[in-house]
Amino acid sequence: MDYTRLFDVIVVGGGHAGTEAAHAAARMGCDTLLVTHSIETLGQMSCNPAIGGIGKSHLVREIDACDGLMAKVTDRAGIQFRVLNQRKGPAVRATRAQADRVLYRQHMRYAIETTPFSNRYLILF
Amino acid sequence: MGLTLRSKTVVITAGTFLAGQIHIGMNQQSGGRAGDPASNDLAKSLRDKPFRIARLKTGTPPRIDSRSVDLASLPEQPGDTPTPYLSMMSVGNEHPTQIACYLSRTTEKTRDIILENLHLSPMYAGVIEGVGPRYCPSIEDKMVRFADKPTHQVFLEPEGLTSHELYPNGVSTSLPYEVQLDIVRSMEGCADAVITRPGYAIEYDFFDPRDLNSTLESKLISNLYFAGQINGTTGYEEAGAQGLLAGANAALRAQDKESWTVGRDEGYLGVMVDDLITLGTQEPYRMFTSRAEYRLALREDNADTRFTEKARSLGLVGDGLWRKFNERQESIEKELTRLKSLWVRPADPCIEKLNQVLTAPLSKEATAHDLLKRPEIHYQDLVEFADVDCNDDPSISSQVEILVKYSGYIDRQTDEIKKLKKNEQVRLPADIDYSTIVGLSNEVKQKLLDHRPETIAQASRISGVTPAAVSLLLVHLKKLELTHLAS
């Protein structure tokens, strides 16, 4: 990787915002660089290993409708799935998944590593 | 490393790492997450710029070794069958092995331990200046706020298939390790529990999101974008969605293209960004369906209808999803047309069975589409009782059912929104007693008392004051007016 060139987009951070941001820019054909302090913790779930829930799963579906990562990775890492508010109307129905923390990280890293275009990450201390 | 990197645009997604400070009891250390260093240089260089920066706090519970818990004594919480999928691109074989969670509870002993040790909690001893998430409170907060509640549910959630660790959902704490151990061991089924890692609170810098515009670009430095917890939100999903928006806009700028914004009527992403940039936030911001005023239109099941076409035009959507999206839209259209052309008549042989499901017997001919509008009729009933052929794809039939059944409600909501907008000019009397308004939640009452809004418009813009609460306020004003007239 030629780090001296002028990138289109540099994303600082490899968490849930950083991975989606870098992947989105790369999907759009941009020369993208992801800068993180550790490749090992790309997509790390720092707190509860769960994705979705009321209001939140709506955001996950919106990311998915734009071909983003979170829903795809959760489907591959989820070890329990439930539909909440099933007896209420469809507007507030929500999906919640319990994820395997290790699988989530692995699938997220795989998705970032196999992004087309020139997306690369760099570790900075 | 002393490298210089150059870019047309930059997206900063630093999470809790900016000047992160971890608290366990009265001990503090710098860190971005347990085991990872904080980003202090980045925090310092950003603090030199004219950003409005404040501190927020979040926390995580201790983790427990599942082998030390009497799981057999606790109710099992299995997942749903068939297991749902989140991605449109998943074909149905992606899920790994599915496992159960368990339900434990705190006891009165838990409460006693926490209340006795409150002075050792950095939150309560005044060591932490940041505000924590209201909707994901620490166990200390819960015991103080709901002191009369004898027990709280604690879901014990496995951390993975290759780990023995359990995540006790609901006992986030920053009390000292010894106290955490006593707390965990006072919970049902956890008398001999072993803690594998302690819970902690973490304080971090966040940037006032009112300094951003609706593309998540900084108003102070152009070509610089912020996404995630750095903007005052909490949660992976909130972070991910902002990342998508900021990343796409950074890319559009780098390509000299027009920017992308999402309206409140288009998506929860739009609701969140609008809330953040117009109101800012005083506590970690979490997404809720109650924050959206157009929630009948913003459903989980129609995210593709709201986003995919636009996202495709931006270059975000690959050929696979685009094909899938078009096939799905076409099938929905076809099915709607089919139902409109299928007639059921009172003389049909199936009518006896059908009338048993209907609240009033069918008096004149109707299309399957008309029948589906009735609240008591579901798509499956049409198939069973009205000789309507089944659509093979359950996701299409359920989408069609929602569209048909709720079209009336959606229209009504649009009218309500218009009416509400008119009412936004209504003034709130300065001496109004919010505590007496029936139906308002304590949270809303407290916020109205704190803010003392002058108009309904101002009240509706306070974070947490829901559209439903605004309606209650309007009803209350009407009542006040009537009493005033009567006297």
Side-chain angles (χ1 to χ4, degrees), chain B residues 276-307:
Chain B
L276 290 170
I277 65 168
T278 55
L279 301 165
T281 189
Q282 277 71 51
E283 57 190 65
Y285 179 98
R286 193 204 142 143
M287 198 68 248
F288 273 108
T289 46
S290 60
R291 297 194 192 272
E293 50 282 74
Y294 303 89
R295 38 179 191 285
L296 283 180
L298 309 185
R299 304 185 309 273
E300 242 199 278
D301 58 79
N302 71 353
D304 58 336
T305 316
R306 297 182 277 114
F307 277 85

Side-chain angles (χ1 to χ4, degrees), chain B residues 413-486:
Chain B
Q413 183 175 64
T414 317
D415 290 345
E416 272 172 25
I417 290 159
K418 276 189 206 145
K419 212 168 17 173
L420 210 57
K421 273 190 179 148
K422 233 187 284 169
N423 280 330
E424 274 184 349
Q425 303 305 318
V426 178
R427 295 193 72 79
L428 286 161
D431 58 352
I432 191 165
D433 185 2
Y434 292 109
S435 61
T436 61
I437 302 179
V438 183
L440 283 186
S441 70
N442 284 333
E443 179 198 347
V444 170
K445 282 180 185 168
Q446 185 200 322
K447 286 192 163 161
L448 290 170
L449 283 167
D450 290 348
H451 284 80
R452 286 265 158 219
E454 289 170 42
T455 63
I456 288 280
Q458 280 181 12
S460 70
R461 282 198 285 270
I462 299 168
S463 127
V465 175
T466 59
V470 170
S471 301
L472 284 172
L473 283 176
L474 287 169
V475 171
H476 185 74
L477 284 180
K478 199 98 198 160
K479 262 195 232 156
L480 283 182
E481 219 172 273
L482 290 175
T483 354
H484 186 68
L485 284 176

Side-chain angles (χ1 to χ4, degrees), chain B residues 111-131:
Chain B
R111 183 177 59 192
D112 294 345
I113 294 165
I114 289 167
L115 294 180
E116 270 165 36
N117 288 287
L118 219 45
H119 62 288
L120 297 174
S121 163
M123 280 300 289
Y124 284 88
V127 181
I128 292 181
E129 53 170 296
V131 183

Side-chain angles (χ1 to χ4, degrees), chain B residues 20 26 37 71 76 79 100 133 135 146 150 199 231 243-244 251 285 295 333 368 385 388 396 402 407 423 446 484:
Chain B
M26 292 300 123
L71 293 177
E76 206 180 75
Y135 305 104
F146 308 103
N231 291 337
L244 172 82
Y285 179 98
R295 38 179 191 285
E333 265 324 301
F385 306 119
V388 170
I396 299 296
I402 291 167
S407 60
N423 280 330
Q446 185 200 322
H484 186 68

Side-chain angles (χ1 to χ4, degrees), chain A residues 1-35 37-38 40-86 88-104 107 117 122-125, chain B residues 1 3-14 17 33 36-37 42 59-61 63 77-80 83-90 94-101 155 157-162 167 169 200 227-228 234-244 246-252 254-255 257 260 266-270 272 286-289 295-296 298-301 303-304 306-308 311 314-319 321 402 406:
Chain A
M1 182 187 71
D2 170 23
Y3 67 85
T4 60
R5 72 174 183 268
L6 179 67
F7 289 95
D8 289 325
V9 180
I10 291 182
V11 176
V12 180
H16 304 279
T19 47
E20 291 291 351
H23 202 261
R27 288 206 297 282
M28 290 168 68
C30 277
D31 191 11
T32 309
L33 177 73
L34 176 65
V35 179
H37 77 281
S38 162
E40 307 300 335
T41 51
L42 276 175
Q44 167 85 304
M45 309 179 109
S46 311
C47 191
N48 189 356
I51 294 280
I54 296 162
K56 289 168 169 273
S57 64
H58 290 73
L59 290 170
V60 180
R61 302 270 186 190
E62 291 175 3
I63 295 172
D64 190 57
C66 300
D67 224 356
L69 298 175
M70 190 171 271
K72 294 184 191 106
V73 171
T74 306
D75 278 344
R76 285 167 175 77
I79 52 179
Q80 184 184 92
F81 289 79
R82 289 173 68 194
V83 177
L84 312 176
N85 280 346
Q86 201 139 24
K88 297 191 183 169
V92 291
R93 216 167 280 161
T95 314
R96 183 180 188 275
Q98 193 66 35
D100 178 303
R101 190 186 290 287
V102 178
L103 286 177
Y104 194 92
H107 286 290
F117 311 109
L122 184 79
I123 316 168
L124 288 187
F125 294 97
Chain B
M1 287 190 287
L3 291 184
T4 301
L5 298 167
R6 297 176 311 128
S7 180
K8 293 181 192 165
T9 60
V10 172
V11 184
I12 297 189
T13 68
F17 280 65
R33 166 172 62 211
D36 285 315
L42 182 58
T60 194
R63 309 299 200 271
Q77 301 277 320
D80 288 352
T83 51
Y85 279 82
L86 280 165
S87 175
M88 286 175 70
M89 290 306 287
S90 292
E94 286 82 356
H95 290 334
T97 308
Q98 301 293 297
I99 54 178
C101 298
F155 284 99
E157 303 170 336
E159 293 243 338
L161 298 171
T162 52
Y167 178 99
N169 196 341
Y200 58 86
T234 174
Y236 310 141
E237 305 81 353
E238 289 81 350
Q242 289 173 66
L244 172 82
N249 273 308
L252 289 168
Q255 295 167 337
K257 289 182 187 159
W260 174 41
E266 290 176 293
Y268 276 83
L269 175 52
M272 170 171 65
R286 193 204 142 143
M287 198 68 248
F288 273 108
T289 46
R295 38 179 191 285
L296 283 180
L298 309 185
R299 304 185 309 273
E300 242 199 278
D301 58 79
D304 58 336
R306 297 182 277 114
F307 277 85
T308 304
L314 300 174
L316 277 168
V317 172
D319 293 342
L321 177 60
I402 291 167
Y406 293 91

Side-chain angles (χ1 to χ4, degrees), chain B residues 246-273:
Chain B
N249 273 308
L252 289 168
R253 173 64 53 79
Q255 295 167 337
D256 273 326
K257 289 182 187 159
E258 213 178 300
S259 60
W260 174 41
T261 58
V262 183
R264 294 187 74 92
D265 54 339
E266 290 176 293
Y268 276 83
L269 175 52
V271 173
M272 170 171 65
V273 170

